[in-house]
């Protein structure tokens, strides 16, 4: 935002009184970006699927303790996926490598049978 709109992201108080008449930002324009709900759902699902996969139980450190203690209520979702590489291979062909840009623009390996 700083570069494109010459703006900044300033947090407001919980009530947002700064935008009311007499408030600190009374004469400012407020801009809000709304994300497509379905896109947001898929993105959130993908993030949770990645974070709670069996490969996270193998990670070491204080941050990963909660993942190590978590038993997924639907372990069949991770059938044949025990390593992070298995997860990557399900969606991104090895020929493209694991670069995010290449995977997003390339053909997917997903054929509708990943959870079966």
């Amino acid at each position: 935002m700083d570069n494109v709109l010459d703006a900044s992201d300033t947090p407001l108080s919980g009530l947002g009184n700064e935008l009311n008449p007499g408030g600190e930002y009374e004469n400012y324009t407020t801009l809000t970006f709304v994300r497509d709900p379905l896109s947001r759902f898929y993105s959130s699902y993908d993030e949770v699927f990645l974070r709670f996969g069996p490969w996270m139980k193998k990670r070491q450190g204080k941050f990963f303790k909660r993942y190590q203690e978590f038993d997924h209520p639907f372990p069949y979702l991770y059938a044949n996926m025990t390593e992070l590489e298995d997860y990557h291979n399900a969606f991104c062909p090895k020929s493209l490598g694991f670069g995010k840009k290449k995977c997003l623009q390339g053909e997917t390996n997903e054929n509708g049978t990943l959870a079966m």
Side-chain angles (χ1 to χ4, degrees):
M1 277 194 327
D2 291 333
N3 299 332
V4 178
L5 302 173
D6 192 27
S8 62
D9 186 11
T10 306
L12 301 175
S13 68
L15 298 175
N17 291 332
E18 298 89 341
L19 300 173
N20 293 337
E24 184 178 355
Y25 302 110
E26 173 182 17
N27 295 321
Y28 284 72
T29 300
T30 303
L31 182 64
T32 302
F33 294 93
V34 178
R35 197 167 156 194
D36 173 44
L38 190 57
S39 169
R40 187 173 182 185
F41 169 77
Y42 285 133
S43 176
S44 297
Y45 180 84
D46 188 44
E47 180 72 20
V48 169
F49 190 86
L50 176 64
R51 285 187 183 214
F52 288 95
W55 44 85
M56 294 300 278
K57 290 183 180 283
K58 300 173 185 176
R59 304 289 301 263
Q60 298 298 313
K62 187 177 179 180
F63 176 79
F64 299 104
K65 187 172 176 74
R66 64 180 168 168
Y67 298 118
Q68 294 166 351
E69 296 172 350
F70 178 78
D71 289 325
H72 201 284
F74 307 105
Y76 61 85
L77 292 175
Y78 297 101
N80 301 320
M81 287 191 199
T82 57
E83 303 293 332
L84 183 58
E85 187 176 340
D86 297 332
Y87 169 78
H88 284 292
N89 289 338
F91 300 102
C92 183
K94 285 185 179 182
S95 61
L96 293 177
F98 294 136
K100 185 173 182 179
K101 185 174 182 180
K102 287 182 180 179
C103 282
L104 290 175
Q105 295 172 351
E107 290 293 320
T108 179
N109 284 338
E110 201 282 314
N111 63 4
T113 62
L114 289 176
M116 295 182 172

